[in-house]
Each structure stands twice: as C-alpha cells, then as structure tokens.
Amino acid sequence: MTQNPFLSSYTTPHQTAPFDKIKNADYLPALKDGLAQGRKDVDAIVANTATPTFENTIVALERSGDLLGKVTSVLFNLNSAETTPELQKIVKEASPLLSEYGNDITLNEKLFARVKAVYDQRASLKLDPESAMLLEKSYKRFARNGANLNEKGKERLRAIDKELSQLSLQFGENVLNETNEYTMVVTDEKDLAGLPDFARDAAKATAKQKGKEGWVFTLQAPSYGPFMQYADNRELRKKLFMAYNGRGFHGDKNDNSAIINKIVNLRYERANLLGYKTHADFVLEESMAGSRDKVQSFLNELVTYARPAAERQLAELTTYAKAHGFTDDKLQTWDNSYYAEKLKKEKYDLDDETLKPYFKLENVLNGVFTVANKLYGVTFKERTDIPVYNSEVKTFDVFDKDGKFLAVFYGDYFPRAGKRSGAWMNDIQGQKVENGENIRPHIINVCNFTRPTDTKPSLLTFYEVTTLFHEFGHGLHGMLANGKYESLSGTSVPRDFVELPSQVMENWCYDPEALKLFAKHYQTGEVIPNELIEKIRASQNFMAGMANLRQLRLGLVDMYYHGQKPTGETISQVESRVDSVANLFPHVDGIAVSPAFSHIFAGGYSAGYYSYKWSEVLDADAFEFFKEKGGLDNKAAADSFRKNVLEKGGSEKPMELYKKFRGREPSPKAMLRRSGLIL
C-alpha cells in the first residue's frame, strides 16, 4: 500500500507539495487525520494545569493543526485551479467537517476561558506589537464567533456555518458549470467582421480543441472580452453578453437565485446571533474602514464624483456611435465595449491589436520580475524539478538581494475547464517562524490569459498586463512576508488593506521607465516606442467615470445585500434599486450580476467589495510617493513600503502601517486626480 504523501515530510525541493504523488483518495484520510491531530493539540492546551500564559495558550493555539493546513491548502487551491467532479465531491464532504472543527475550537468554553485569562492581563504582559496583535486577534476569534453564546445559540451557529460553507461551494460550482457549458459556434466568416486576427485565431483553436467546425467563442475572459470589443455583429454581441450576464440566472440546475437568498438570510441571522445589527456590521468591525456607515458614505461620495463624469462619457460615446451608423435611441450594455474601443482608437490611435505584439506573456513576466528586483532587490530563477498540478504551471525560486532564499513562486496563466474564471493569488504554504526557523512561503498566481496559438505566442491585452502585475503585487505581499505568526503573515490583513500591494504594482504598467523594461515586440525585439507609451498614459482615464461607476455599482449591490435586514426582494428588484443610482444603461430582462458575483457569494469579499475602491485611495497616494523621488530608483519609498507594508502582514493595524510607510494618513485627492474625476 502506498504511503499517503500528506502524512510524512515532503522530500521535494523546499518541501513543496508533491502534486505528482497526491491522489484524490489521499485527501479525506489525511484531512481526517489532520482534524484528529488538531483536536488533540487543542485538548492538550485545555488540559494544561499550568496558569494560562501567552506561550502555553495563545502561541500553542496558533501552532495547532499543522497537518490540517497542509492538506486544505492543496485541496482548496486545486478546487479553484484544477477541479474535477470527483474533487468537488471531496470538497463538499470536507467543508462541513472543517466548519464543525472551527466551531469546536471557537465554542470550546474551557479553551476560551484560558484565552480570556491571558487577554485580561494583556496590559501587564509587555508583548511586542506583533504578539499583542496575535493576542487581540485570538480573543476576537472567539468573541466574534460565538464563544459568549448559550448552548442553544452555539448549536444554531454551528448549523448556520455548516450550511453556509456548502452553499458557497455550490454557488461557485454553478458559475463554473455555466461558464464551461456555454459555447457560441460561428460558421459564417462574415459574422467575424471586425474581429482582429488574434481573436479569430483563438476562436479557431478553440473550435479545433472542441471538435467543431468554424470558430468557437466561450465565456472565458480571453474569448468573451475581445468579441464584445470588436465584433461588428450586434446580435451576436448581444447573444454572448446575455449568456455571460445570465450565468446562474436561468432557473435551471445551475441557478443561484435561491442560494443567494439563503446565504444573505443566514449571514444576517448569524450576525444577529452574535449581537451585530447586520452582516456588514460584523465584517466591517475588523476592517480599516471600521463601520457600515463609513463604507456607505464612502461609496455614496464616490458616486457623486463618478456619475457626472460617466454621464458625460456616455453622452460622448452615444454621439460617436450615432455618427458611425448606430440608429437606436440609447446604447445598450453590449454596445459599450464595442464603441468605446472604436472611440479610443480614434481619440488616441490605440487599441489592443496595436499593443499586444509588445506584451508577450514571457516578456511581461520577466518585466514584473525586473520591476520587483529594482524596487526590492529580489530575483527569480525558474525551476523544472518542482512538482506541479498541471504541466502549464511554471515554478521559480525567489531570492533576496543577499542571495538568501525567500519563497517558491508558481505561475498558472491559461484558462482550462477545471479552472474558475478570474485571477487570484494564494499560498500553498504560509510564512512563519517556528523553533527559530523562518519557514518561507510557497505562493501561487492563477490567471486566465490569452493562450498561444499555432502561429503566435501568448500575447496579452493591456488589461491582462495590469492583471498580471496586480496578482503579482499580492504575490509579493506573500513572498516578502516576514512575521512570526502565520495567521498574521502575508495577505492575512483586513480586506480593505489587502488590495494596496496589488494595486500599487498596477501603476508601474503606465510608467515609461518600467514599460521599457519588458514591452518589446515579440518578432523584432523593438522596445515599445515613446509614442505608444504616451498614448497608453493619455488613455489611462478613458471612460474612467464609467469604469468607476461600474465598480461602485458592485460595491453598492454588496452593501445592499449585507448592510441591512434582508428585504425579501428578488435579485432583479435589488439590482434595479442600485441601478437607479449607479447604472446608466437601460434595464435588460434575463440578466443580473448577483448570480455570478463569486467575490461576495463564493469568495471572501462579502460586505467587502468596496475595498477595491478604498484601496485605490491608498495605492494612488502611495504611488505618488514612489514618483516624487525617482520612481523605480526611489529606494526610500521602496524600502519603506517593503518594511512597513509587505513584510508586516497583519501584525499591526493597517492605518498605523500606512502612516509608517507614508509619514501621514492617505489623501483621496491622488485617486480622484488619477481617475480624472477632479483636476
């Protein structure tokens, strides 16, 4: 009988996960062993007859459950990036077990009594800031998750958490199924009018892969986006748009409407049970924003800047469209990208087809490595002997400026049937210091970029370039982590602070010095000309009012669901309320954003989607600091950002870390200026 690879030390380079040896049959047995071991660790803390101390209670609890973390990090990473029906079944079985285990810890009265005993004497413990934060977070983990409830309340909390874990999984699976099951087959070449060669080639390759004649378009971003931007055939644009925006909303086996209703009501009930008015109050207590009212005011204020700009831009776009053959009274949403792309081309003589040859994936990846090197001194060396879960995944050793090993970095860049849409960063092993050893992290970036074809390498759109830099910014937050405790390390920060490192990195995509490091023509090697760089910079605010309004709309939808008592309204009613404030396009029956809004219903962004805009305030303000004194050569800014933000994780309060980096609190004016919303 072969040994379960999870149950012994890995013999791979840097003890990376042995993906080549892990089988589906290994997960549940290892997970159950991990649960048993975790419970044994907790029992030992509770049974300790010594007076509760920071070390024997708080640190011991932090160190418990190592095997469980080892199994779940692999399982849930794969369920997002390389899932199968069998793996989904395993995750469905595992999730309620994990929910129950989490509740067994936070609802353990004797354990909480020990944690509280340490917390009550915190003023006299003379802890360093990181240890003080661990103590505070440990106490709140119990207090905010039912430790003070009576037995009836605890039982109800367990039932809610178990159901929520299953509902979120089902929601994500439904969206993935809807995305994978849809194809639009085009057999008449006339219907491809307007599409550039790269989009035609990709559609032809997809058709070949699926055994179809003609060209196949899917709901994956590299297929969907270009079709909406370039296809002259308005009816086909509408058809694809309706499919994409109707995901989870067809009244069939993949419909998410009832799931949303259950999730929203259960989250509200859970918050009430714990003494909070709404789910948003519960979530935001631990955020940088601090309160539901602050978030609502923030979103509403930004709408007052974004909406007038969006109205002007939509009027300009409508005038342009009518001058170019559009005969209806109003533009529909499926006309937006199409005419915006044409107007952008006319105003700035710029489009993706012009830019893509300069953004070969390998060059962009080398570029983001070079930017990281110039800022923080880190270097990347590709390896081919680290096991991967799919042959397309690239792996790298990451070294610090002194040559010391820092991290393992995995890059997974192309869409597949088993991969959910979007882009994200995760860790497979977190960073921590244990027994005097600084255990370094294993970080992964997962994206869905344009695939190479038979005739061309993977050439990225500019949006894909910014996405790669964004996720790599999250990656740096993980790779440069340098804390003592894994639960406070890397990206373990409040949701409205976690986007700061990622969005700061996006800024370099518009920086001439940074662009010239990697934007080189894939055939000639020619560095991107200054003229194109100026056009990229000039077009940075193109339709920014409309883009801002779209993001604010999503944030407002999130807060409508989670910032009040559930209204019992249908999804369409909820969205039409928000649309009256934050959407300029005509209402369309049969579509909705909520049923595929995985960030808030299958991810960790419930009552937190505003954080993208909140972090824009931070990143614009932060990047002005980088640019004040030399850009990539601004060692003072880079060193301060690394020391006070990237290395610190959640070891101190975010505003304190930001002030240490910047020397003051952030000002929203930089973001409003950058977006063209104020002069």
Side-chain angles (χ1 to χ4, degrees):
M1 186 176 169
T2 54
Q3 172 72 32
N4 188 319
F6 288 117
L7 302 181
S8 55
S9 294
Y10 298 156
T11 56
T12 47
H14 306 301
Q15 294 193 304
T16 45
F19 289 111
D20 55 337
K21 297 204 167 47
I22 296 169
K23 299 180 180 63
N24 283 340
D26 296 325
Y27 288 111
L28 286 173
L31 183 105
K32 286 170 182 173
D33 277 11
L35 291 168
Q37 184 207 81
R39 287 190 167 95
K40 195 174 169 186
D41 293 342
V42 168
D43 289 345
I45 298 168
V46 171
N48 192 339
T49 53
T51 302
T53 66
F54 179 74
E55 284 296 326
N56 73 20
T57 300
I58 307 302
V59 175
L61 184 58
E62 167 74 11
R63 302 284 189 241
S64 66
D66 274 357
L67 173 58
L68 191 59
K70 190 174 169 182
V71 180
T72 54
S73 65
V74 172
L75 175 61
F76 286 97
N77 269 291
L78 258 61
N79 193 47
S80 293
E82 188 78 353
T83 198
T84 61
E86 191 181 353
L87 199 64
Q88 288 175 344
K89 196 175 162 196
I90 291 165
V91 170
K92 274 188 179 164
E93 193 172 336
S95 288
L97 298 177
L98 291 165
S99 173
E100 184 182 14
Y101 172 78
N103 287 143
D104 283 347
I105 291 175
T106 54
L107 301 178
N108 184 319
E109 289 178 17
K110 291 178 180 175
L111 181 60
F112 179 49
R114 290 186 68 90
V115 170
K116 188 174 184 301
V118 181
Y119 183 72
D120 286 346
Q121 53 177 316
R122 61 194 179 281
S124 62
L125 294 179
K126 298 185 175 58
L127 298 173
D128 63 75
E130 189 174 356
S131 297
M133 180 61 80
L134 181 68
L135 176 55
E136 182 184 331
K137 292 278 188 191
S138 299
Y139 175 76
K140 284 184 174 177
R141 176 186 173 192
F142 287 83
R144 282 170 49 81
N145 285 288
N148 291 313
L149 293 175
N150 60 27
E151 277 312 307
K152 188 180 174 187
K154 287 178 180 178
E155 284 310 305
R156 182 61 191 141
L157 188 77
R158 285 177 183 275
I160 290 172
D161 287 347
K162 185 175 180 179
E163 191 172 357
L164 280 172
S165 71
Q166 292 167 322
L167 289 168
S168 291
L169 279 174
Q170 190 61 55
F171 183 99
E173 282 181 24
N174 289 349
V175 176
L176 183 65
N177 291 340
E178 291 270 275
T179 304
N180 285 340
E181 287 168 11
Y182 183 85
T183 55
M184 185 173 78
V185 182
V186 173
T187 53
D188 187 342
E189 194 163 0
K190 291 202 292 290
D191 289 330
L192 303 178
L195 286 172
D197 287 344
F198 76 82
R200 293 173 181 235
D201 292 347
K204 179 62 89 175
T206 303
K208 185 177 173 186
Q209 177 206 335
K210 292 184 179 294
K212 306 271 188 188
E213 292 298 317
W215 299 264
V216 169
F217 297 90
T218 72
L219 302 182
Q220 298 284 1
S223 179
Y224 176 77
F227 196 90
M228 298 308 296
Q229 280 178 294
Y230 296 109
D232 292 340
N233 188 317
R234 190 181 185 217
E235 279 308 306
L236 288 183
R237 284 203 314 271
K238 178 181 178 181
K239 182 180 177 183
L240 201 60
F241 171 87
M242 294 297 289
Y244 185 86
N245 292 280
R247 289 177 301 165
F249 201 48
H250 294 126
D252 57 9
K253 64 180 173 29
N254 292 325
D255 194 277
N256 275 332
S257 305
I259 290 176
I260 289 172
N261 186 47
K262 283 182 189 169
I263 288 175
V264 169
N265 277 282
L266 286 169
R267 284 173 175 168
Y268 177 76
E269 184 188 348
R270 186 182 195 279
N272 286 176
L273 195 58
L274 295 169
Y276 296 87
K277 196 171 178 185
T278 69
H279 178 67
D281 289 293
F282 170 76
V283 170
L284 296 169
E285 181 182 61
E286 290 298 285
S287 70
M288 200 173 176
S291 75
R292 171 170 50 109
D293 289 345
K294 185 86 176 273
V295 169
Q296 199 68 53
S297 298
F298 171 74
L299 292 172
N300 292 342
E301 185 183 1
L302 287 187
V303 167
T304 66
Y305 288 105
R307 183 165 180 130
E311 286 169 343
R312 290 192 301 272
Q313 289 159 8
L314 183 57
E316 180 188 13
L317 193 62
T318 305
T319 302
Y320 171 83
K322 286 184 174 178
H324 290 78
F326 184 75
T327 55
D328 286 8
D329 183 37
K330 290 183 175 179
L331 290 174
Q332 297 286 348
T333 321
W334 53 85
D335 300 314
N336 180 33
S337 296
Y338 177 74
Y339 285 108
E341 189 64 29
K342 289 191 177 310
L343 178 57
K344 183 178 174 185
K345 173 81 171 167
E346 187 169 296
K347 285 181 85 162
Y348 306 105
D349 190 25
L350 188 71
D351 60 16
D352 278 332
E353 198 163 17
T354 307
L355 291 176
K356 278 171 73 95
Y358 293 96
F359 296 130
K360 181 181 170 184
L361 171 61
E362 290 76 7
N363 291 347
V364 178
L365 198 54
N366 286 335
V368 84
F369 290 167
T370 306
V371 167
N373 176 258
K374 285 187 169 291
L375 291 171
Y376 310 116
V378 296
T379 55
F380 294 77
K381 185 179 178 187
E382 187 165 5
R383 294 189 71 145
T384 55
D385 58 341
I386 290 176
V388 290
Y389 54 85
N390 185 288
S391 59
E392 294 178 336
V393 179
K394 295 175 178 291
T395 59
F396 301 85
D397 278 347
V398 188
F399 300 99
D400 211 342
K401 59 187 94 172
D402 59 3
K404 201 154 75 178
F405 172 73
L406 264 182
V408 174
F409 177 68
Y410 297 77
D412 179 1
Y413 295 110
F414 302 121
R416 295 184 297 272
K419 184 194 283 192
R420 67 177 167 87
S421 57
W424 61 93
M425 164 267 176
N426 233 324
D427 62 41
I428 297 170
Q429 175 175 291
Q431 181 270 331
K432 60 185 173 182
V433 174
E434 205 162 271
N435 301 323
E437 181 189 358
N438 193 329
I439 294 166
R440 300 309 304 166
H442 303 164
I443 302 298
I444 183 167
N445 275 178
V446 186
C447 303
N448 283 277
F449 293 153
T450 307
R451 279 189 170 279
T453 65
D454 292 341
T455 56
K456 285 179 184 164
S458 173
L459 302 176
L460 306 187
T461 65
F462 189 70
Y463 176 77
E464 289 175 329
V465 173
T466 60
T467 298
L468 188 147
F469 269 69
H470 178 103
E471 296 307 333
F472 192 80
H474 284 310
L476 285 171
H477 205 178
M479 289 182 265
L480 297 177
N482 199 28
K484 290 192 286 189
Y485 310 113
E486 186 174 356
S487 66
L488 300 178
S489 178
T491 56
S492 299
V493 300
R495 185 63 73 190
D496 52 7
F497 193 60
V498 79
E499 297 299 335
L500 170 61
S502 56
Q503 291 178 192
V504 160
M505 280 301 286
E506 282 188 55
N507 286 276
W508 296 108
C509 300
Y510 297 90
D511 182 75
E513 183 189 1
L515 273 168
K516 289 188 173 187
L517 294 172
F518 66 91
K520 296 172 183 173
H521 198 285
Y522 80 101
Q523 288 170 311
T524 66
E526 173 205 13
V527 174
I528 191 167
N530 289 331
E531 174 195 4
L532 273 184
I533 293 176
E534 283 314 306
K535 288 175 181 178
I536 289 171
R537 289 163 64 79
S539 66
Q540 184 175 3
N541 286 336
F542 178 66
M543 297 291 157
M546 290 175 73
N548 271 283
L549 199 60
R550 180 185 174 278
Q551 280 292 91
L552 292 167
R553 177 185 179 231
L554 294 170
L556 288 166
V557 165
D558 177 24
M559 289 303 290
Y560 195 88
Y561 281 122
H562 295 119
Q564 62 184 326
K565 181 179 180 180
T567 59
E569 293 171 296
T570 65
I571 286 168
S572 297
Q573 287 170 329
V574 168
E575 294 194 11
S576 77
R577 282 188 182 279
V578 173
D579 286 353
S580 66
V581 176
N583 187 20
L584 303 181
F585 289 100
H587 171 76
V588 179
D589 287 333
I591 64 166
V593 68
S594 304
F597 200 171
S598 295
H599 273 79
I600 67 170
F601 293 120
Y605 279 80
S606 62
Y609 199 81
Y610 76 92
S611 59
Y612 285 101
K613 300 310 295 178
W614 184 274
S615 294
E616 274 187 49
V617 170
L618 302 179
D619 90 73
D621 188 69
F623 195 68
E624 281 197 353
F625 185 35
F626 276 95
K627 294 301 289 178
E628 276 166 15
K629 296 173 185 154
L632 284 172
D633 295 322
N634 186 342
K635 292 297 174 212
D639 289 348
S640 182
F641 195 69
R642 176 173 177 169
K643 177 185 168 191
N644 294 306
V645 177
L646 297 175
E647 291 186 356
K648 283 288 200 286
S651 60
E652 295 178 47
K653 295 206 178 294
M655 189 59 83
E656 294 310 308
L657 292 175
Y658 190 86
K659 286 194 291 189
K660 285 180 182 178
F661 153 65
R662 189 69 165 102
R664 59 165 175 74
E665 290 197 2
S667 161
K669 288 183 177 170
M671 187 274 280
L672 293 169
R673 274 195 299 273
R674 185 180 68 187
S675 297
L677 300 181
I678 61 169
L679 297 175

